[in-house]
Amino acid sequence: DSGVTQTPKHLITATGQRVTLRCSPRSGDLSVYWYQQSLDQGLQFLIQYYNGEERAKGNILERFSAQQFPDLHSELNLSSLELGDSALYFCASSEGHRPNTEAFFGQGTRLTVV
Amino acid sequence: DAKTTQPTSMDCAEGRAANLPCNHSTISGNEYVYWYRQIHSQGPQYIIHGLKNNETNEMASLIITEDRKSSTLILPHATLRDTAVYYCIVYGLGNNDMRFGAGTRLTVKP
């Protein structure tokens, strides 16, 4: 158990809909990272937050947005969903934004768009 | 884009050492080398990281060349449960996006 909690574990929704994925980081971790992993694909970095502020942005579509709340949990919002958005979405957390701290990953949310 | 190059796949016999190479020829002085692994579709698991010196923990050893342009992850006694995709990442100050490449699919065989 990494200490990072992602909910829900599974989500099935229709095209055009909007969903929210939730991530609770490990206690004390200030950084949260979001990744997308399509079937048999690598992990695509989406976005990173540190203590409520956006720190880095990767290949995140305009239809996607994220935020980190004062209690440090984070949400990834996916809207106008397309079939190609079906993927595993992982959240990771780390202690700080400095590079000498390892990140711990949650077990992911499997999103299926039908 | 990922700043590392790894072989696509490797096999290793159970009980033997698994040596996974990684090239990171454009690594800068403040970037660390990290290794993670992903077993099936589980969340990636941290293994080890280092800056300049070789590192060892209960899971593995990390050997970084003197010029820091490549590294090797060593699993000293591979087991079937070590079958996974292993990712080598460089990550440092000014490079906040921790990007994964395609990784190496390690298969440990009986």
Side-chain angles (χ1 to χ4, degrees), chain B residues 57-75:
Chain B
N57 62 21
E58 65 279 3
M59 288 184 68
S61 294
L62 173 61
I63 308 298
I64 302 175
T65 58
E66 192 170 340
D67 63 7
R68 302 209 324 123
K69 292 186 177 181
S70 66
S71 61
T72 301
L73 177 74
I74 301 172
L75 307 178

Side-chain angles (χ1 to χ4, degrees), chain A residues 27-68:
Chain A
S27 177
D29 283 358
L30 299 178
S31 273
V32 170
Y33 307 77
W34 284 98
Y35 291 84
Q36 177 193 55
Q37 187 172 38
S38 302
L39 187 64
D40 293 331
Q41 297 294 311
L43 288 146
Q44 297 295 318
F45 170 75
L46 296 178
I47 199 163
Q48 181 205 1
Y49 280 84
Y50 173 75
N51 203 20
E53 294 189 4
E54 182 183 305
R55 290 282 297 179
K57 186 175 279 192
N59 303 320
I60 187 166
L61 300 173
E62 286 190 10
R63 299 183 286 109
F64 297 179
S65 65
Q67 56 183 324
Q68 186 179 28

Side-chain angles (χ1 to χ4, degrees), chain B residues 19-36:
Chain B
N19 297 289
L20 291 90
C22 180
N23 288 323
H24 31 80
S25 58
T26 61
I27 192 170
S28 62
N30 61 6
E31 288 183 318
Y32 288 75
V33 179
Y34 275 81
W35 284 84
Y36 288 81

Side-chain angles (χ1 to χ4, degrees), chain B:
Chain B
D1 292 332
K3 298 163 64 173
T4 62
T5 304
Q6 299 178 251
T8 302
S9 63
M10 292 181 64
D11 290 341
C12 177
E14 188 179 19
R16 304 298 293 267
N19 297 289
L20 291 90
C22 180
N23 288 323
H24 31 80
S25 58
T26 61
I27 192 170
S28 62
N30 61 6
E31 288 183 318
Y32 288 75
V33 179
Y34 275 81
W35 284 84
Y36 288 81
R37 72 181 183 184
Q38 186 176 25
I39 297 172
H40 195 44
S41 295
Q42 298 178 19
Q45 177 190 22
Y46 165 81
I47 301 173
I48 199 167
H49 75 281
L51 183 62
K52 295 180 183 178
N53 301 320
N54 299 336
E55 302 287 345
T56 295
N57 62 21
E58 65 279 3
M59 288 184 68
S61 294
L62 173 61
I63 308 298
I64 302 175
T65 58
E66 192 170 340
D67 63 7
R68 302 209 324 123
K69 292 186 177 181
S70 66
S71 61
T72 301
L73 177 74
I74 301 172
L75 307 178
H77 305 287
T79 71
L80 299 179
R81 289 183 297 177
D82 292 322
T83 292
V85 178
Y86 287 77
Y87 297 98
C88 168
I89 304 160
V90 294
Y91 180 55
L93 286 173
N95 174 27
N96 289 316
D97 49 356
M98 191 169 62
R99 293 178 185 253
F100 287 70
T104 296
R105 183 174 296 277
L106 174 70
T107 303
V108 180
K109 298 186 174 181

